[in-house]
Amino acid sequence: MKLHIKWALATLVGLAVTGVGMSTANAAATSDKYLSGNVGYVRTKKAMYVGIYKKTNGKYKQVKVKKNTLLSVGSTMSSNDGHGGVKTTALFSYGVVNYARAKALKYKNIATIPFTKANFKRVNLKAPIRTQVFLSGKGYTANSTNTKAEPTAGFYLTLDNYLQYYSKAAMAKDTYLFGNRWATDGHAYKPTHSVKVSKVTVKGNTTIVYYSKAVPGLPNKKLSKGHYRLKITNKKTTGSLGINPVDDTFDSIASWTNYSVNGKAYHFGEVEYGN
């Protein structure tokens, strides 16, 4: 009876249990089939379905992604595989892609795809600044009553190589974007202006983004006709700002890291409002 209770509990919490006739070595061997640890991005090792749907002619149809497709790992879940081991499943998306593409996509919201080493390989982004939201100015400033951070214009680089710029007015309207460090795949952010990027290079603390036409609102550096660049440098300095509570809420704080973009002051941070 006690053995049956242990197995029932193990199934509920998703833990592997070593039972009669099972060894911990067998459980470990089963688990080794899966990717583990903090995995942010992967590439597929074959064409497959991963829970991504695209809207075509008014209807969503599941996409079979190609081999070597870059995917963002939304979450993972471990559970008993029924053989004394642990299996891991994952939730996938294309990640933060350009607006025109993103608005036609939706994703499965449950981690059901087996996260196996046979199907996926872990990758690190060559340009780690992708999806970071860069805001103009030397840091957050408070509004006239010191109860909220004042919106500013900003931009970010998508995973599929688009620079997307947002005016101050656009940032003020989009609570999903302003005040957060990263754009996410859970909301399609309509940009004020955007441009396809032709090349991205990274050296030390500096990322250089190349593109073919000037983006209004950005400090574009013209190299020649049809050739522009943004030189984005992490200055390795930080700042913070206290914001007064509203009614009986707690104090809020804005914190950021300073960057320069073609010599102009920008920052990357977040606003944590009290509650």
Side-chain angles (χ1 to χ4, degrees):
M1 179 64 70
K2 289 183 179 180
L3 182 59
H4 291 307
I5 293 173
K6 286 182 179 179
W7 273 100
L9 290 173
T11 302
L12 287 173
V13 300
L15 297 176
V17 174
T18 303
V20 177
M22 286 287 181
S23 69
T24 55
N26 287 338
T30 303
S31 300
D32 284 345
K33 292 170 48 178
Y34 302 95
L35 291 171
S36 61
N38 186 17
V39 183
Y41 296 94
V42 296
R43 285 192 181 277
T44 54
K45 291 185 176 181
K46 67 178 183 180
M48 59 189 298
Y49 293 103
V50 293
I52 296 175
Y53 298 81
K54 183 178 179 180
K55 192 174 186 178
T56 304
N57 297 325
K59 294 182 178 181
Y60 284 98
K61 182 178 180 181
Q62 188 168 194
V63 176
K64 188 174 187 178
V65 301
K66 296 179 180 179
K67 179 182 178 180
N68 209 37
T69 297
L70 177 67
L71 298 174
S72 173
V73 183
S75 62
T76 59
M77 182 174 66
S78 296
S79 59
N80 195 312
D81 69 355
H83 303 286
V86 176
K87 67 178 180 181
T88 304
T89 53
L91 180 67
F92 297 101
S93 75
Y94 285 133
V96 178
V97 294
N98 77 84
Y99 174 72
R101 183 181 175 193
K103 67 179 181 178
L105 299 170
K106 73 175 184 178
Y107 304 105
K108 183 177 289 189
N109 58 9
I110 303 174
T112 59
I113 309 300
F115 201 31
T116 61
K117 295 176 182 178
N119 289 335
F120 304 101
K121 60 181 178 181
R122 183 195 315 252
V123 297
N124 294 316
L125 298 180
K126 292 181 179 179
I129 68 158
R130 292 182 193 276
T131 78
Q132 286 186 212
V133 180
F134 293 99
L135 300 172
S136 61
K138 296 181 179 180
Y140 289 102
T141 58
N143 62 6
S144 59
T145 58
N146 196 35
T147 54
K148 290 184 178 180
E150 188 69 25
T152 63
F155 72 93
Y156 62 87
L157 176 64
T158 68
L159 293 170
D160 57 349
N161 289 318
Y162 279 79
L163 269 179
Q164 297 199 157
Y165 167 81
Y166 299 80
S167 66
K168 178 179 177 179
M171 282 288 188
K173 291 178 181 179
D174 202 328
T175 57
Y176 289 93
L177 193 57
F178 179 72
N180 291 310
R181 291 184 182 273
W182 292 276
T184 70
D185 58 19
H187 181 71
Y189 313 96
K190 185 176 182 179
T192 308
H193 303 289
S194 68
V195 65
K196 177 67 174 175
V197 169
S198 58
K199 182 181 178 181
V200 181
T201 64
V202 180
K203 186 175 181 180
N205 299 332
T206 298
T207 301
I208 301 179
V209 181
Y210 298 89
Y211 46 102
S212 62
K213 64 178 182 179
V215 179
L218 289 181
N220 309 279
K221 172 68 175 179
K222 186 175 182 179
L223 303 177
S224 61
K225 185 177 180 180
H227 297 279
Y228 295 84
R229 79 171 186 200
L230 284 186
K231 186 177 182 181
I232 305 167
T233 301
N234 186 341
K235 299 180 71 175
K236 298 287 187 174
T237 59
T238 60
S240 62
L241 170 72
I243 300 173
N244 291 337
V246 179
D247 300 326
D248 59 348
T249 59
F250 294 101
D251 288 350
S252 303
I253 189 167
S255 58
W256 64 87
T257 300
N258 294 303
Y259 278 75
S260 67
V261 179
N262 284 349
K264 301 293 184 181
Y266 275 74
H267 59 283
F268 158 66
E270 65 181 338
V271 181
E272 298 178 277
Y273 288 107
N275 50 41

